[in-house]
């Protein structure tokens, strides 16, 4: 999709690794990640939660494996879901080995609390033997003692030094299938650390503002920090950390990427804040439409504008548009052109039908294109 020069983002050049079936780094799309909050030992509940995240569009899911029972449950979880599973390991290196044996696509380790270099070496061997990637997860809240003594506090230099120190351990073992994160709850600290790390290495980066807060505050905080990094071309996979359900993290992650034209999935709603000029209840209409259209995965733009001041102009740039008019009658647009009118009480259902029909048409066209490509390839063989 072509954009104007001022809308272009030049992504940082990075190595590419594979996390299960998902490519991370290089020219691969920025992947959206989340983490389950169910007890991993409860395989059924964890699988159900991951499936809800899959419906929301998640690319990679992380699960915590603090016990032997949790790594035992990982066998079933990995088998029953459709996305790569990252095993989150802290303190006990044996959990990482068990997770690799259970089929985890990636091992998230914080080398600062995983133990000695020999233990890290054993984890690397398990990753290599079982086709796992690794994420080096450095966190401002769990930096190594010697770095805290050196710098006096968690700062960007300490986070980056920790990350590169542990990256060197993996590289010394001949293992380079890893990504790195340097998370902090402070936006300034996290952004500065990622900026420095992006300059210091070419490993793929997993970005996040850790412990960002609840749904509203955490979304704002993450949008500031992650938005700044993504706009600068930094980040190969992203997790929005919210005190909210994992599928909400996925939705916010997608909205961030869609806003910056970095990924395209689902309905992008452009709507006005509403005012006394509105011809219908914009706020409630948008709420209903977002709920009704949440399952759509095709990239469709939809403008919902309450009056004719900006409505026609926004409709010119969206696939489907609705502009408020007088006497309960409103204008519907298709592909930027006026199409027909609709009454208020029929409006939501009608827009849902239009968007759904367009999504189905897009799917059919894509399937036909893929079939034609496959036929061409078969003929060539």
């Amino acid at each position: 999709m072509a954009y104007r020069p001022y809308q272009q983002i030049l992504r940082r050049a990075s190595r590419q690794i594979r996390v299960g079936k998902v490519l991370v780094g290089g020219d691969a799309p920025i992947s959206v990640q989340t983490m389950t909050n169910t007890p991993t030992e409860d395989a059924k509940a964890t699988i159900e939660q991951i499936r809800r995240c899959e419906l929301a569009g998640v690319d990679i899911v992380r699960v915590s494996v603090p016990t032997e029972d949790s790594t035992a449950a990982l066998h079933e979880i990995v088998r029953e879901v459709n996305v790569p599973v990252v095993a989150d390991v802290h303190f006990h290196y044996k959990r990482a080995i068990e997770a690799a044996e259970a089929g985890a696509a990636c091992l998230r380790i914080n080398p600062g609390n995983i133990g000695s270099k020999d233990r890290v070496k054993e984890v690397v061997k398990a990753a290599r033997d079982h086709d796992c990637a690794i994420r080096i997860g450095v966190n401002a809240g769990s930096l190594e003692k010697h770095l805290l003594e050196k710098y006096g506090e968690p700062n960007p230099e300490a986070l980056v030094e920790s990350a590169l120190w542990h990256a060197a351990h993996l590289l010394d073992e001949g293992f380079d299938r890893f990504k790195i994160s340097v998370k902090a709850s402070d936006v300034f600290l996290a952004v500065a650390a990622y900026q420095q790390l992006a300059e210091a290495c070419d490993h793929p980066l997993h970005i996040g503002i850790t412990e960002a807060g609840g749904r509203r505050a955490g979304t704002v905080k993450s949008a500031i920090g992650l938005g700044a990094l993504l706009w600068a071309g930094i980040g190969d996979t992203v997790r929005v950390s919210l005190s909210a359900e994992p599928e909400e993290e996925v939705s916010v992650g997608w909205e961030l990427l869609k806003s910056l034209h970095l990924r395209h999935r689902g309905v992008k709603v452009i709507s006005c804040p509403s005012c006394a000029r509105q011809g219908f209840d914009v706020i409630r209409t948008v709420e209903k439409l977002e709920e009704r259209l949440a399952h759509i995965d095709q990239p469709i733009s939809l403008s919902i504008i309450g009056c004719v001041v900006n409505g026609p102009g926004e409709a010119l740039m969206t696939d489907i548009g609705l502009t408020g008019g007088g006497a309960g009658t409103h204008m519907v647009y298709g592909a930027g052109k006026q199409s027909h009118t609709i009454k208020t009480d029929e409006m939501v259902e009608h827009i849902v039908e239009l968007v759904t029909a367009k999504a189905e048409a897009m799917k059919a066209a894509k399937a036909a294109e893929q079939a034609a490509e496959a036929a061409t390839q078969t003929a060539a063989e």
Side-chain angles (χ1 to χ4, degrees):
M1 188 176 292
Y3 295 109
R4 295 166 179 82
Y6 60 82
Q7 295 174 309
Q8 299 286 345
I9 291 177
L10 181 62
R11 284 181 62 189
R12 160 185 172 268
S14 66
R15 306 184 193 189
Q16 187 173 84
I17 67 168
R18 180 174 52 81
V19 178
K21 62 183 179 182
V22 176
L23 295 176
V24 175
D27 60 355
I30 298 169
S31 54
V32 177
Q33 185 169 317
T34 189
M35 185 174 184
T36 57
N37 57 29
T38 52
T40 307
E41 295 85 352
D42 188 343
K44 182 176 182 293
T46 303
I47 290 166
E48 289 175 352
Q49 189 171 75
I50 292 174
R51 286 176 176 165
R52 291 195 296 273
C53 293
E54 289 175 353
L55 289 174
V58 77
D59 295 304
I60 301 170
V61 173
R62 179 160 52 113
V63 302
S64 183
V65 287
T67 65
E68 287 186 68
D69 287 342
S70 62
T71 52
L74 203 58
H75 289 273
E76 180 180 359
I77 294 168
V78 168
R79 186 176 66 246
E80 295 296 326
V81 301
N82 300 306
V83 292
V85 175
V86 178
D88 188 73
V89 180
H90 290 279
F91 303 114
H92 212 305
Y93 76 103
K94 287 187 177 180
R95 300 292 85 80
I97 297 171
E98 293 162 1
E101 294 170 346
C106 182
L107 306 174
R108 188 275 188 182
I109 60 173
N110 184 337
N113 64 33
I114 201 71
S116 66
K117 185 176 179 179
D118 287 340
R119 289 183 174 180
V120 173
K121 185 175 183 177
E122 289 191 52
V123 172
V124 170
K125 183 180 185 303
R128 182 182 285 114
D129 290 346
H130 297 281
D131 195 27
C132 281
I134 287 179
R135 171 157 75 92
I136 297 172
V138 175
N139 195 297
S142 56
L143 276 170
E144 294 82 2
K145 183 178 178 181
H146 74 277
L147 291 174
L148 289 175
E149 291 175 350
K150 177 179 179 179
Y151 291 101
E153 64 175 4
N155 62 17
E157 291 74 20
L159 289 169
V160 172
E161 184 171 331
S162 176
L164 296 179
W165 183 52
H166 293 298
H169 289 342
L170 301 191
L171 293 171
D172 286 346
E173 297 298 324
F175 189 89
D176 63 357
R177 191 177 159 191
F178 61 87
K179 53 184 177 175
I180 306 176
S181 64
V182 282
K183 294 186 180 181
S185 60
D186 179 80
V187 172
F188 296 95
L189 174 54
V191 170
Y194 276 113
Q195 289 171 335
Q196 290 187 24
L197 184 60
E199 291 289 332
C201 73
D202 66 350
H203 299 293
L205 302 183
H206 169 83
I207 62 172
I209 306 299
T210 193
E211 298 144 5
R215 178 176 178 175
R216 179 183 297 175
T219 295
V220 172
K221 192 173 181 181
S222 296
I224 294 169
L226 300 182
L229 290 170
L230 291 167
W231 202 328
I234 298 171
D236 300 291
T237 177
V238 59
R239 190 245 174 133
V240 177
S241 298
L242 303 176
S243 299
E245 294 304 321
E247 50 265 48
E248 181 67 19
E249 294 187 347
V250 177
S251 296
V252 175
W254 271 102
E255 290 302 324
L256 276 170
L257 296 178
K258 284 158 62 178
S259 296
L260 292 169
H261 300 169
L262 290 167
R263 291 284 299 271
H264 305 279
R265 182 188 189 277
V267 181
K268 180 180 180 180
V269 178
I270 296 167
S271 60
C272 67
S274 81
C275 69
R277 295 191 305 269
Q278 64 182 356
F280 57 88
D281 188 338
V282 173
I283 294 173
R284 250 54 64 183
T285 298
V286 171
E287 287 176 349
K288 291 176 184 176
L289 287 170
E290 286 183 335
E291 181 179 355
R292 294 283 303 277
L293 299 173
H295 67 287
I296 300 292
D297 58 5
Q298 298 299 304
I300 297 172
S301 56
L302 171 65
S303 58
I304 306 294
I305 310 297
C307 76
V308 296
V309 172
N310 292 321
E314 292 292 352
L316 288 173
M317 298 180 285
T318 54
D319 297 314
I320 298 170
L322 176 68
T323 294
T329 301
H330 318 293
M331 179 58 67
V332 179
Y333 297 78
K337 298 179 180 179
Q338 290 188 19
S339 178
H340 55 277
T341 60
I342 192 72
K343 294 292 186 181
T344 302
D345 57 355
E346 303 169 340
M347 188 172 59
V348 170
E349 197 65 38
H350 184 63
I351 295 298
V352 169
E353 290 174 358
L354 290 177
V355 173
T356 302
K358 182 169 183 61
E360 291 301 322
M362 292 171 70
K363 282 185 179 179
K366 186 175 182 180
E369 181 182 349
Q370 291 174 338
E373 289 176 355
T376 301
Q377 184 175 357
T378 301
E381 293 173 352

